[in-house]
Amino acid sequence: MKPKMYKLQHLQKPFYPQAHISTKQSDTNEKGEDLYKSQVRELEEFFSKLNPMAQDFVPPSLAASDIDNGYCNIGPRGKKNVYDQGKKKMKSRKTGMAQRQEIIRRTVFVSDIDHLITEERLAALFSHCGQVVDCRVCGDPTSVLRFGFVEFTDEEAARAALSLSGTVLGYYPVKVTPSKTAIAPVNPTLLPQTLDEQEMCSRTVYVTNIDKKVSQPDVKHFFERACGEVYRLRLLGDHHHSSRICFVEFELAESAMAALNCSGVILGSLPIRVSPSKTPVRPRGPRPPAY
């Protein structure tokens, strides 16, 4: 009598599915490896087209955030040292601050200046203490008293200028104290650029505190009658300001010198202030055609 085989068949059934699963996993692994190799070949082909001599480009967002040990990580081709750049900027900033502090120590603050005093008269007063680099008178044009700054070539002259506090200039004694700020520089583009423009400045005066009701022909008529022929005149300002300003260029430098004596004369309803101009009155270019 032959033995029954159903038990052996029952034991062998789990074996065949397990082998089948292993075969599927092997096929999947091979496909994944082929896909990986294909992607690597694509990357190699892409990088082979890059220019090895080209400089690295770092987006601002990456340069600001992806910083490690002072370097900006931009890949294996190189690292940009932003730490050194930051040190240079800080050094430049400190140098600028040191220079500004040195200028402040050479500058004095002058208050209670008579509104008829020009920058030239103020500079002449302080020239006895040392060489004056710059002089600036500021303040409300409608105020009786104004303030100003005087900058010297050295700190010793600035310390000597403090002794002039209490000196009567015009109708009031001025007060002199160490300045806490430096004189703001004049826009260099407005300064004379050529010898011709320097000659124009010698014939030009700067007029402030002009009544808003006074027109440009009125200003021209006033200065021509008092000083001499006017070559060019530029009246500036609008109705939003309490007064207007004007640049008056004469035919002769002597007329400009005579115009300085008009400071304090009532024009309209306000006393005007006249001082030599630091900038020439440049002719306006033709306006572009309207389309």
Side-chain angles (χ1 to χ4, degrees), residues 63-178:
S65 59
D66 193 10
I67 297 177
D68 184 19
N69 295 329
Y71 290 89
C72 181
N73 298 327
I74 56 177
R77 293 180 57 219
K79 293 182 178 181
K80 187 175 181 180
N81 193 341
V82 296
Y83 177 72
D84 287 345
Q85 291 185 350
K87 284 182 64 177
K88 291 180 180 179
K89 290 182 179 179
M90 287 296 295
K91 185 177 180 181
S92 176
R93 188 178 301 173
K94 289 181 179 179
T95 302
M97 291 179 63
Q99 291 177 349
R100 181 177 177 83
Q101 290 298 325
E102 192 268 337
I103 293 174
I104 292 175
R105 289 193 295 269
R106 294 189 282 106
T107 306
V108 295
F109 174 71
V110 187
S111 59
D112 294 352
I113 303 175
D114 192 323
H115 71 284
L116 298 179
I117 300 301
T118 63
E119 293 178 348
E120 286 68 31
R121 287 189 61 184
L122 186 65
L125 172 66
F126 286 95
S127 62
H128 301 289
C129 303
Q131 184 177 354
V132 175
V133 176
D134 197 359
C135 179
R136 195 74 53 83
V137 176
C138 316
D140 187 356
T142 61
S143 175
V144 177
L145 299 177
R146 295 184 295 164
F147 63 92
F149 300 87
V150 181
E151 180 186 340
F152 298 91
T153 55
D154 54 71
E155 297 180 27
E156 184 179 354
R159 287 192 293 268
L162 299 178
S163 62
L164 295 180
S165 185
T167 303
V168 177
L169 187 62
Y171 294 100
Y172 302 94
V174 296
K175 295 180 182 179
V176 187
T177 57

Side-chain angles (χ1 to χ4, degrees), residues 139-239:
D140 187 356
T142 61
S143 175
V144 177
L145 299 177
R146 295 184 295 164
F147 63 92
F149 300 87
V150 181
E151 180 186 340
F152 298 91
T153 55
D154 54 71
E155 297 180 27
E156 184 179 354
R159 287 192 293 268
L162 299 178
S163 62
L164 295 180
S165 185
T167 303
V168 177
L169 187 62
Y171 294 100
Y172 302 94
V174 296
K175 295 180 182 179
V176 187
T177 57
S179 179
K180 297 181 180 179
T181 60
I183 299 177
V186 179
N187 188 344
T189 60
L190 301 178
L191 296 175
Q193 306 294 325
T194 63
L195 293 176
D196 290 340
E197 290 189 345
Q198 292 180 7
E199 192 271 336
M200 290 168 59
C201 283
S202 67
R203 296 185 285 105
T204 305
V205 294
Y206 174 61
V207 188
T208 61
N209 202 38
I210 302 175
D211 192 332
K212 293 189 298 184
K213 299 179 181 179
V214 176
S215 64
Q216 182 163 315
D218 293 335
V219 177
K220 182 179 180 181
H221 176 72
F222 168 80
F223 281 105
E224 283 190 334
R225 186 182 62 181
C227 309
E229 186 175 356
V230 173
Y231 176 73
R232 187 184 291 117
L233 187 146
R234 187 76 50 81
L235 184 62
L236 306 173
D238 50 41
H239 295 287

Side-chain angles (χ1 to χ4, degrees), residues 4-24:
K4 293 182 179 180
M5 301 298 295
Y6 72 91
K7 290 185 178 180
L8 180 63
Q9 292 175 357
H10 177 75
L11 294 174
Q12 291 177 346
K13 282 182 180 180
F15 174 77
Y16 292 104
Q18 186 68 28
H20 184 65
I21 292 174
S22 300
T23 304
K24 284 185 177 182

